Amino acid sequence: MKKNIGLISAIVAAVINILILVWGFNINGGDEMGYSLIAFYAVMPITSLVTCIIMSHNRFKGTIPVAVILSAAAFLIPFAIFGTFDWISVFFGLVPCIIGLSIGYALKK
């Protein structure tokens, strides 16, 4: 079970990102600000941080590819919902992944 915890955390992160995408396609007019604040500034960075900590701490072999996918999801989900590119959204996926990888590898050492 301990070897599979990295895979399980990657799957949970993917499911959370899919739920955020589905939620975004179902928002009503006027709810964009609340959706953006909750999904992009809270849920996605925390998911990226925790997932990267768990995967790097358990030496999951797919840690770097999953971190890249989480960073790309933070950039592509707002594009799919709103149709615009916002470069700040890269930092809400990339920075938590880098911090999570660093913390996980430091805890393992």
Side-chain angles (χ1 to χ4, degrees):
M1 181 67 181
K2 186 168 174 115
K3 291 183 180 181
N4 294 332
I5 194 95
L7 179 63
I8 292 169
S9 66
I11 292 170
V12 168
V15 168
I16 289 172
N17 281 326
I18 290 169
L19 290 174
I20 287 173
L21 182 65
V22 169
W23 178 28
F25 285 135
N26 293 317
I27 57 174
N28 296 325
D31 293 339
E32 296 87 7
M33 181 62 80
Y35 169 75
S36 296
L37 289 174
I38 293 170
F40 301 135
Y41 298 144
V43 175
M44 288 180 77
I46 291 171
T47 302
S48 297
L49 179 73
V50 171
T51 301
C52 287
I53 288 173
I54 292 170
M55 288 187 311
S56 62
H57 179 68
N58 291 310
R59 304 251 185 212
F60 177 61
K61 293 188 188 299
T63 300
I64 300 299
V66 171
V68 169
I69 290 170
L70 288 174
S71 299
F75 182 68
L76 294 174
I77 290 175
F79 176 71
I81 303 298
F82 301 117
T84 59
F85 284 111
D86 187 14
W87 287 99
I88 194 73
S89 63
V90 173
F91 297 108
F92 291 116
L94 182 65
V95 173
C97 282
I98 292 172
I99 292 170
L101 291 173
S102 302
I103 291 171
Y105 285 131
L107 287 175
K108 189 63 176 179
K109 297 253 179 201

